[in-house]
Amino acid sequence: ETGVTQSPTHLIKTRGQQVTLRCSSQSGHNTVSWYQQALGQGPQFIFQYYREEENGRGNFPPRFSGLQFPNYSSELNVNALELDDSALYLCASSEDRLETQYFGPGTRLLVL
Amino acid sequence: AQSVTQLDSHVSVSEGTPVLLRCNYSSSYSPSLFWYVQHPNKGLQLLLKYTSAATLVKGINGFEAEFKKSETSFHLTKPSAHMSDAAEYFCVVSDLPFSGGYQKVTFGIGTKLQVIP
């Protein structure tokens, strides 16, 4: 069974640019959640996708958007990058909405 | 409202002594509660979860947590610390306010566990 994978592992962007992060969910999982973990902080919930529909959203602006595909993999898009967007972005998949989440290794984004 | 409070940002124990990491939560619904561990430069690993079955939950690597509704607590314990337990630990609350609605998930700020040889 393949676990949750994320790409890329590291990324450097400049302010104002756009970025797309990718996540492949664990086999059999229909729910994907995205989190932002700033240095020294706990992960903050960005949003969740369940069967290709957004199923929950945290306190993040609309420039954070996402997609889930029919194979349940997912993308996180961030437009108009700001310096404070520098963080570790974690993806987690689960069998269903309230089931245990299994996390990928994360993508570390640095915005200069 | 949903919130998680991890009462200690740092805990230091000697190897072989008990570990206690404290977590209090609030939720307007019947929540699921989790503890995750994050080793440096590694992803988050599930230690254990509570989902309204037994109040004493056993997890991996000898960790346990007890759900106490009256105290709104979900403290993590281990009888004897090992050097490999040094990591950051996160308490997490998750609930589904209404059927078909949005799931809310909140992480605590984390507790760094240091194990002294």
Side-chain angles (χ1 to χ4, degrees), chain B:
Chain B
Q2 182 189 81
S3 69
V4 177
T5 303
Q6 290 185 245
L7 295 152
D8 307 290
S9 58
H10 288 83
V11 168
S12 186
V13 301
S14 297
E15 191 177 15
T17 64
V19 176
L20 170 64
L21 305 184
R22 298 181 293 165
C23 173
N24 286 100
Y25 72 93
S26 75
S27 172
S28 303
Y29 309 95
S30 296
S32 297
L33 295 161
F34 305 81
W35 277 97
Y36 284 86
V37 61
Q38 189 174 37
H39 287 92
N41 300 314
K42 296 269 178 81
L44 286 155
Q45 182 184 18
L46 177 71
L47 277 180
L48 50 80
K49 72 173 183 178
Y50 166 79
T51 53
S52 75
T55 56
L56 182 63
V57 183
K58 293 188 186 297
I60 62 170
N61 301 335
F63 284 94
E64 288 184 350
E66 187 170 7
F67 174 72
K68 290 187 177 178
K69 188 174 181 178
S70 60
E71 298 175 13
T72 60
S73 70
F74 190 56
H75 301 333
L76 182 70
T77 60
K78 182 172 179 177
S80 175
H82 192 272
M83 294 299 295
S84 61
D85 295 328
E88 187 152 26
Y89 292 79
F90 293 95
C91 181
V92 181
V93 62
S94 168
D95 60 36
L96 196 65
F98 53 93
S99 177
Y102 280 20
Q103 179 186 26
K104 277 187 65 73
V105 178
T106 301
F107 274 71
I109 61 166
T111 299
K112 281 196 175 66
L113 176 64
Q114 180 186 23
V115 182
I116 302 164

Side-chain angles (χ1 to χ4, degrees), chain A residues 13-29:
Chain A
K13 292 284 190 178
T14 55
R15 233 173 2 167
Q17 284 190 309
Q18 178 264 341
V19 69
T20 297
L21 310 182
R22 294 180 175 82
C23 171
S24 289
S25 56
Q26 196 162 311
S27 176
H29 289 190

